[in-house]
């Protein structure tokens, strides 16, 4: 399907309608309240969809005739709560119940053929898994904060999130699946760790997507026996970083084997690429029976700059698979560059403290932000009108500023009218009411 065609299910109204339906299925946490849980969740989503810098800003904005109208026409919100109520209610929401909204958006993307051209290495999707911190304080904390006890006696509190993002070496867009928080469980004395979170994340993911052909790409911390056995148990392929300092046994084996092969190539730009590889190498002394395939890569630019990478994988290595495998391994960085950096620096305010809460607020906010980002990424890849509107504003931040300015100042009938206005460069004061009907 041509990229410029508007696919209804993959444009903002279709996606928001589907997400709203999933929110409506979540049991009410406060059945007698005047404002529904769905309106609270949709308001939380709208905060990040509209790139509001704070919940207080959303509170200040929500009560004009224009914004009340627009929250209803664009997000289906009957009544938006004040920031205090919004924090209080979101704090009661168990974050796991939001997983279904991610799954729904992903299945729409898949069914709408939005993932065409996103596979590599025999029809697999690449799933980059990596953690990031998004909250740290010496004072503010909740029941689930991880704790760090410092030598001078003070304690710092922090939250981290493990993200799982579909990436492709040839595409800028990334598609996050439901993330997994790295937290302290109720009553637990020890902090959670990234490895435990990865186990929960990958097990849930496999249950929700039992047939998805996936290659997990991770850094060298994941190249350990227990984690690789988990990946094998879950029928997940892998390309994992390998560092000589952490895998001396593996590197010595490769150095001394007579079967180790080399391959070199200089492309038309003059960049020199060199590989060496070996199938069936024991991972380490402790996991001698666990065999992996080893690939090492050096890239020398015309200026003489050398980049070096090494990975272990369960994909069989042969000369023809080296290039795509190297590109797939390097696409791991997209979870950092295209996901976390975008969330931190491109309008979503990932590291801003939107409120911490006592139970779940901090995690629910991170989930809603990631969900808003997923819907934006789907539009960016699949909605021609969105692409035209974004192109008009040239930079993502300018585009979001324009969306917010129109949201605050003009009555907007629907998303199509909003994006059309931006794409066609109509000044807001000349069209106080946008309607395409
Ligand atoms: Zn906390």
């Amino acid at each position: 399907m041509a990229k410029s065609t508007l696919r209804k299910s993959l444009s903002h109204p279709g996606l928001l309608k589907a997400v709203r339906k999933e929110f409506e299925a979540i049991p009410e946490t406060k059945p007698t309240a005047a404002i529904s849980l769905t309106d609270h969740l949709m308001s939380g989503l709208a905060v990040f969809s509209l790139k509001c810098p704070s919940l207080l800003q959303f509170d200040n904005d929500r009560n004009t005739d224009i914004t009340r109208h627009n929250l209803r026409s664009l997000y289906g919100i009957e009544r938006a709560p004040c920031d205090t109520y919004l924090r209080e209610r979101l704090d009661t929401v168990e974050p796991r119940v939001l997983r279904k909204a991610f799954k729904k958006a992903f299945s729409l993307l898949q069914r709408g053929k939005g993932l065409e051209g996103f596979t590599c290495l025999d029809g697999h999707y690449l799933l980059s898994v990596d953690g990031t911190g998004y909250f740290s304080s010496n004072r503010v904390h909740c029941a689930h904060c991880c704790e760090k006890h410092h030598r001078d006696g003070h304690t710092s509190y922090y939250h981290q999130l493990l993200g799982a993002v579909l990436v492709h070496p040839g595409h800028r867009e990334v598609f996050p699946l439901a993330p997994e928080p790295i937290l302290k469980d109720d009553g637990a004395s020890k902090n959670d760790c990234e490895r435990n979170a990865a186990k929960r994340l990958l097990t849930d993911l496999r249950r929700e997507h039992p047939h998805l052909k996936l290659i997990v790409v991770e850094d060298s911390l994941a190249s350990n026996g227990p984690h690789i056995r988990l990946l094998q148990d879950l029928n997940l392929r892998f390309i994992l970083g390998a560092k000589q300092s952490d895998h001396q046994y593996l590197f010595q084996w490769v150095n001394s084997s007579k079967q180790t092969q080399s391959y070199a190539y200089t492309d038309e730009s003059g960049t020199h690429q060199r590989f060496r590889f070996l199938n069936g190498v024991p991972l380490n002394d402790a996991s001698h029976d666990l065999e992996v395939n080893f690939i090492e890569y050096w890239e020398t630019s015309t200026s003489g700059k050398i980049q070096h990478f090494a990975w272990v994988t369960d994909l069989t290595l042969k000369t023809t698979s080296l290039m795509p495998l190297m590109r797939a391994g390097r696409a791991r960085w997209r979870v950092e560059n295209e996901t976390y950096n975008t969330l931190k620096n491109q309008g979503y305010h990932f590291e801003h403290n939107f409120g911490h809460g006592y139970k779940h607020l901090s995690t629910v906010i991170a989930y809603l932000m990631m969900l808003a980002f997923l819907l934006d990424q789907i539009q960016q890849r699949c909605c021609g009108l969105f692409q035209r509107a974004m192109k008009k504003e040239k930079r993502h931040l300018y585009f979001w500023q324009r969306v917010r300015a129109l949201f605050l100042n003009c009555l907007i009938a629907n998303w199509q009218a909003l994006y059309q206005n931006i794409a066609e460069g109509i000044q807001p004061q000349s069209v106080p009411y946008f309607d395409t009907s």
Side-chain angles (χ1 to χ4, degrees):
M1 199 180 293
K3 254 188 139 186
S4 58
T5 314
L6 181 75
R7 273 171 266 187
K8 262 193 178 159
S9 64
L10 299 181
S11 61
H12 222 175
L15 292 165
L16 286 169
K17 196 174 157 193
V19 163
R20 188 184 172 89
K21 214 168 159 192
E22 295 302 329
F23 287 169
E24 283 167 353
I26 298 170
E28 273 287 353
T29 52
K30 210 172 169 190
T32 53
I35 303 179
S36 68
L37 177 62
T38 304
D39 270 355
H40 281 84
L41 289 167
M42 288 304 290
S43 297
L45 187 64
V47 168
F48 303 111
S49 172
L50 293 165
K51 316 295 176 282
C52 294
S54 68
L55 296 195
L56 183 62
Q57 188 67 57
F58 179 77
D59 187 32
N60 289 342
D61 295 344
R62 81 193 155 100
N63 263 336
T64 69
D65 286 345
I66 291 176
T67 55
R68 265 199 298 269
H69 171 277
N70 291 344
L71 283 170
R72 191 174 298 121
S73 66
L74 300 178
Y75 295 95
I77 295 168
E78 283 303 315
R79 262 182 83 184
C82 69
D83 65 320
T84 306
Y85 279 9
L86 185 56
R87 281 195 198 91
E88 279 177 9
R89 189 77 81 83
L90 294 186
D91 196 36
T92 65
V93 175
E94 171 65 50
R96 286 186 65 80
V97 300
L98 302 174
R99 295 187 66 87
K100 284 191 172 169
F102 283 87
K103 190 176 175 224
K104 184 69 190 179
F106 184 80
S107 67
L108 288 176
L109 176 68
Q110 220 178 358
R111 280 213 308 267
K113 304 202 186 306
L115 286 173
E116 268 184 4
F118 229 73
T119 57
C120 58
L121 292 159
D122 191 27
H124 287 87
Y125 296 107
L126 295 175
L127 185 78
S128 181
V129 177
D130 200 10
T132 190
Y134 66 94
F135 167 81
S136 177
S137 172
N138 291 333
R139 189 175 54 82
V140 177
H141 59 98
C142 72
H144 295 295
C145 274
C146 289
E147 296 173 11
K148 188 170 180 183
H149 301 281
H150 298 267
R151 276 196 203 147
D152 65 2
H154 91 273
T155 303
S156 55
Y157 303 92
Y158 61 95
H159 281 233
Q160 293 174 321
L161 197 72
L162 191 65
V165 180
L166 238 56
V167 298
H168 188 279
H171 298 290
R172 276 193 78 91
E173 292 85 18
V174 297
F175 301 110
L177 304 180
E180 181 64 35
I182 302 171
L183 297 169
K184 201 173 77 176
D185 267 345
D186 280 333
S189 57
K190 273 177 71 178
N191 292 335
D192 194 7
C193 67
E194 190 166 321
R195 198 178 295 176
N196 286 342
K199 193 172 178 181
R200 295 193 302 274
L201 182 145
L202 294 170
T203 307
D204 282 339
L205 178 152
R206 195 30 114 200
R207 193 187 59 252
E208 289 171 357
H209 303 279
H211 306 298
L212 206 59
K213 282 178 78 175
L214 288 168
I215 299 171
V216 175
V217 285
E218 290 177 88
D219 67 14
S220 66
L221 289 175
S223 303
N224 63 77
H227 187 68
I228 290 178
R229 288 201 171 87
L230 170 73
L231 294 169
Q232 289 173 332
D233 289 347
L234 295 171
N235 191 24
L236 295 163
R237 307 279 77 75
F238 59 83
I239 303 171
L240 311 174
K243 273 190 189 160
Q244 184 149 8
S245 52
D246 300 334
H247 295 88
Q248 288 190 9
Y249 186 86
L250 177 87
F251 276 77
Q252 275 167 14
W253 188 283
V254 175
N255 289 341
S256 58
S257 172
K258 288 191 170 54
Q259 264 85 47
T260 301
Q261 296 181 62
S262 293
Y263 172 76
Y265 175 78
T266 302
D267 68 18
E268 47 295 352
S269 71
T271 303
H272 185 67
Q273 296 166 307
R274 182 162 71 87
F275 294 89
R276 69 169 185 164
F277 63 101
L278 179 63
N279 289 307
V281 191
L283 179 70
N284 53 40
D285 213 358
S287 308
H288 204 276
D289 56 330
L290 180 60
E291 289 195 344
V292 291
N293 306 326
F294 174 88
I295 170 173
E296 195 169 17
Y297 174 69
W298 293 262
E299 183 176 287
T300 311
S301 71
T302 47
S303 65
K305 190 185 165 207
I306 300 174
Q307 287 186 284
H308 170 248
F309 305 89
W311 297 278
V312 294
T313 177
D314 58 345
L315 300 165
T316 304
L317 299 169
K318 48 192 176 193
T319 311
T320 51
S321 67
L322 297 176
M323 289 287 185
L325 210 134
M326 173 272 289
R327 288 196 190 104
R330 292 174 75 174
R332 185 185 81 73
W333 288 102
R334 289 180 182 269
V335 69
E336 186 63 41
N337 294 351
E338 312 294 349
T339 311
Y340 297 141
N341 285 351
T342 303
L343 292 178
K344 287 170 188 174
N345 306 317
Q346 297 289 323
Y348 297 85
H349 311 285
F350 188 37
E351 291 171 305
H352 181 91
N353 183 14
F354 283 87
H356 199 74
Y358 301 97
K359 290 197 287 190
H360 304 304
L361 180 64
S362 179
T363 308
V364 167
I365 279 178
Y367 269 57
L368 290 174
M369 185 184 294
M370 193 68 96
L371 185 59
F373 173 67
L374 171 61
L375 303 189
D376 292 340
Q377 290 288 294
I378 294 175
Q379 294 185 87
Q380 193 175 311
R381 182 161 170 81
C382 305
C383 176
L385 184 54
F386 180 89
Q387 289 160 4
R388 286 206 302 281
M390 198 165 241
K391 203 173 165 192
K392 184 82 185 176
E393 290 298 319
K394 294 189 177 68
R395 298 183 69 167
H396 286 201
L397 275 176
Y398 300 162
F399 172 76
W400 298 127
Q401 281 168 7
R402 186 73 192 274
V403 168
R404 231 172 95 66
L406 294 174
F407 171 84
L408 292 173
N409 297 307
C410 302
L411 293 165
I412 303 164
N414 51 46
W415 284 101
Q416 193 174 349
L418 174 62
Y419 291 157
Q420 221 158 49
N421 175 275
I422 299 173
E424 288 162 16
I426 301 167
Q427 290 305 309
Q429 60 269 31
S430 63
V431 187
Y433 191 89
F434 302 155
D435 194 348
T436 50
S437 58

